[in-house]
Amino acid sequence: MGSEMCIRDSPTTPPDALRVLAEDDEINLRAAVAAHLNTPPDALRKLANDRYSTPVAAVAGNPSTPGDVLTKLLHMDAVYISDSAAKNPSLPADVIADLLNRLDELHYSVADAVVRNVSARPSTLLSLAQEGHEIAIHNIHQNPAATSAVLDVLADSEDWSVRANTARHLNISLTTLANLATDSDTKVSGEVSWNPKATGDMLTHLVPHPSAAVRLRVAKHPNTHLADLIL
């Protein structure tokens, strides 16, 4: 266990050393090498064909893995490996676009993963949001790269859970966040209290919120007007 932890925790392990360690007999050591950002492409290609799934899964999740290798790993029988490849930001843009255009054909967890890929084209995510695609609208909020335009569409969803999840996103516009702070569904408005972008005026609307948990978050929020907390 010690060797793989040293490799995993040291960002300075040189590529040549990792290339040698990729041939080690210990599975967990090979997996640690497969997950390391400094592992050279040729070693990652070899580890992608490892006879054990642990190193292969690590390759699938490594942003240093070449795009063509990730594309191959999308078709693995082990879904958790395909998931990792689908959300890897180094997956080629055209492959991501193709996957997003046929979400209904994918295993649901792979579809969820590709929607969360930070390299997904904003225009494609926007189209999916506008179409109200179920998989997309319930997972885009987990994509930190989702644009404010996409979030604006999600904030207008009839599904309260979609609006609630959107309220937490850091890329949401202040105008849209303000609208959600006064949403008629208190399950939605309460989620605004999680967002560090929430302004004092937005939080003022939440001071009398029926949920004690929301009121506590409002009290702790750095943007809350002190006067609102004085009885």
Side-chain angles (χ1 to χ4, degrees):
M1 177 66 74
S3 298
E4 58 263 27
M5 288 184 66
C6 288
I7 292 172
R8 182 195 65 202
D9 296 338
S10 175
T12 60
T13 305
D16 287 343
L18 292 164
R19 183 181 285 109
V20 172
L21 293 170
E23 305 283 351
D24 196 270
D25 291 335
E26 173 57 44
I27 298 172
N28 290 331
L29 183 54
R30 296 200 305 277
V33 172
H36 202 289
L37 295 178
N38 289 350
T39 300
D42 60 296
L44 289 170
R45 290 181 186 280
K46 184 172 292 187
L47 288 166
N49 294 305
D50 198 281
R51 63 185 182 279
Y52 292 101
S53 63
T54 306
V56 178
V59 171
N62 190 335
S64 295
T65 300
D68 63 299
V69 175
L70 293 172
T71 301
K72 175 184 174 183
L73 294 178
L74 284 172
H75 305 291
M76 295 290 290
D77 290 334
V79 176
Y80 69 96
I81 294 177
S82 300
D83 285 357
S84 294
K87 63 185 175 186
N88 192 313
S90 296
L91 191 65
D94 58 334
V95 175
I96 295 174
D98 175 63
L99 293 175
L100 289 173
N101 285 328
R102 54 186 185 88
L103 287 178
D104 293 328
E105 302 173 20
L106 308 177
H107 186 282
Y108 72 89
S109 62
V110 175
D112 291 353
V114 74
V115 168
R116 300 195 302 270
N117 194 312
V118 296
S119 295
R121 291 171 182 156
S123 59
T124 306
L125 292 179
L126 179 59
S127 295
L128 288 169
Q130 291 172 332
E131 293 167 7
H133 193 288
E134 281 295 306
I135 294 174
I137 65 175
H138 287 287
N139 286 280
I140 289 177
H141 73 276
Q142 297 184 68
N143 190 329
T147 64
S148 60
V150 173
L151 298 170
D152 284 348
V153 174
L154 297 179
D156 281 335
S157 173
E158 294 182 359
D159 187 325
W160 72 265
S161 66
V162 173
R163 302 198 307 278
N165 289 328
T166 302
R168 290 193 183 205
H169 204 289
L170 296 180
N171 291 346
I172 193 170
S173 70
L174 290 178
T175 298
T176 300
L177 190 60
N179 289 336
L180 292 177
T182 57
D183 194 281
S184 59
D185 192 320
T186 57
K187 295 189 295 295
V188 175
S189 61
E191 292 302 294
V192 173
S193 63
W194 287 106
N195 199 313
K197 293 176 66 172
T199 66
D201 289 344
M202 295 178 202
L203 295 165
T204 295
H205 289 290
L206 303 179
V207 170
H209 197 277
S211 167
V214 171
R215 297 197 302 273
L216 180 59
R217 288 197 297 271
V218 171
K220 293 181 176 180
H221 201 291
N223 295 338
T224 297
H225 296 312
L226 181 59
D228 289 335
L229 302 179
I230 300 175
L231 298 177

